[in-house]
Amino acid sequence: MDLKTDKQPSLRERNRLRTRSDILDAAAEMLGESGYAGLALEEVSQRAGLSRGTVYAHFPGGRDDVVREVYLRVADAVYVRGISLREEALHPAGRISALARALVETTSSASGRFYGLMGPDVVPILSGVRRTSESFEALIKLDLSTARAEGQLHEGPDIDALSTALSGAIRASGARAAMNPETAEQQIAAVELLAAGLLCKPVQG
């Protein structure tokens, strides 16, 4: 007899997760439309088709709890998507632009727009949270270090500085795509051109 060791979630648990997801979906779209200042839990509950009490039952900390969870959910999705695309790339510039694609595709969508437009009012809520940009910068540093070891990057430039610059370019591309979704592919291509320009193999003299 084949015994299953993984217990399936109960109907109650599935409903709880679905309700939580509905709340976060509604909040993400509202954040993209009007930012943190315009996020009212009353409207979140209406969009999700739930009572305000249900929203608080899932997020006792109120608005800040919701915003933090929306951020974490989107950040996780961007990171997982970035890693997946990066593994498919055949060269360092492609791996770097893969990270840009993961971010830009998200920020150019209605549910991820806020992720590219977060203002200073959200910073205190995210205290202690590791940013995806920090993780991406570490991956870029790894790619540049590998490229240098393989003779594809000049010895002069500081890799930490280059990694920070490229990470900043990716963040800026995400912000522009959030404002103008139609520019998403242009932004991704621009990041790849920047990376490819850095990673030209030094001319042997």
Side-chain angles (χ1 to χ4, degrees):
M1 185 170 63
D2 185 22
L3 297 176
K4 287 189 175 181
T5 56
D6 294 332
K7 186 178 180 181
Q8 296 298 314
S10 65
L11 176 60
R12 181 176 180 179
E13 177 63 11
R14 292 199 301 274
N15 287 337
R16 187 189 74 81
L17 293 173
R18 187 180 303 112
T19 298
R20 185 181 181 86
S21 180
D22 289 345
I23 293 168
L24 295 177
D25 287 344
E29 290 194 5
M30 283 187 62
L31 284 166
E33 293 166 6
S34 51
Y36 174 72
L39 184 70
L41 293 191
E42 184 66 39
E43 187 174 348
V44 170
S45 65
Q46 290 174 4
R47 288 200 187 195
L50 303 164
S51 70
R52 194 170 185 220
T54 299
V55 174
Y56 275 103
H58 285 267
F59 300 98
R63 183 170 68 163
D64 288 0
D65 255 11
V66 172
V67 172
R68 185 181 177 91
E69 286 303 311
V70 169
Y71 173 88
L72 288 172
R73 187 173 71 158
V74 176
D76 286 347
V78 170
Y79 182 77
V80 170
R81 175 70 170 153
I83 292 297
S84 175
L85 291 172
R86 186 173 178 272
E87 289 175 349
E88 297 171 3
L90 301 177
H91 52 83
R95 288 194 287 273
I96 291 170
S97 69
L99 302 180
R101 178 171 292 280
L103 177 63
V104 168
E105 284 182 345
T106 297
T107 60
S108 60
S109 69
S111 60
R113 183 172 186 265
F114 86 97
Y115 195 74
L117 299 175
M118 288 184 296
D121 51 356
V122 179
V123 173
I125 300 169
L126 303 178
S127 176
V129 174
R130 180 174 174 81
R131 305 294 182 90
T132 302
S133 59
E134 296 173 9
S135 300
F136 278 9
E137 187 170 332
L139 292 172
I140 293 169
K141 182 177 179 180
L142 176 63
D143 289 332
L144 293 178
S145 297
T146 300
R148 176 164 287 170
E150 295 175 351
Q152 298 178 30
L153 178 65
H154 290 284
E155 290 295 331
D158 180 75
I159 286 179
D160 286 338
L162 290 176
S163 302
T164 299
L166 284 169
S167 177
I170 290 174
R171 286 197 303 273
S173 292
R176 184 165 185 249
M179 293 296 294
N180 302 286
E182 69 278 4
T183 67
E185 288 300 324
Q186 297 170 14
Q187 295 301 135
I188 296 165
V191 171
E192 184 160 11
L193 282 173
L194 284 174
L198 288 173
L199 296 172
C200 290
K201 188 171 181 179
V203 177
Q204 300 298 319

